[in-house]
Amino acid sequence: MGGEEKVDVDVDPPADHEPRHPHSQALPIEAPTLLTFGEHDQCTSTRFASPITSRIPDAELVVFDGCAHAPIYQDVEGFNSRTLAFLRQHYL
């Protein structure tokens, strides 16, 4: 262990790099779709939000300020309000 050398590795992609995510190549979805992201989500970065949204016709994106991976629990009132508004607009 004493002879190991530490190497700093920059894991952040360049600013012009379009992130690749398994869901970025989504199949065509014809139904109006609400995509929700937490601003501080470390599981699914908001960097993926626009690429995913752009690949789904009639998709709407909502990023919840101050939330991480579960805005449904972290901003219950905001999440429910936004989701109900979307459902009323498209389905009810």
Side-chain angles (χ1 to χ4, degrees), residues 18 24 30-31 33-34 54 83 91:
E18 183 176 338
S24 66
E30 296 180 15
T33 304
L34 178 64
S54 70
T83 301
Y91 295 103

Side-chain angles (χ1 to χ4, degrees), residues 36-74:
T36 60
F37 283 77
E39 174 186 28
H40 302 293
D41 191 334
Q42 293 184 357
C43 296
T44 307
S45 171
T46 55
R47 294 181 317 143
F48 299 121
S50 291
I52 292 170
T53 304
S54 70
R55 289 177 172 87
I56 302 172
D58 206 12
E60 186 175 327
L61 171 64
V62 178
V63 177
F64 288 89
D65 295 335
C67 291
H69 188 64
I72 190 171
Y73 299 115
Q74 297 160 332

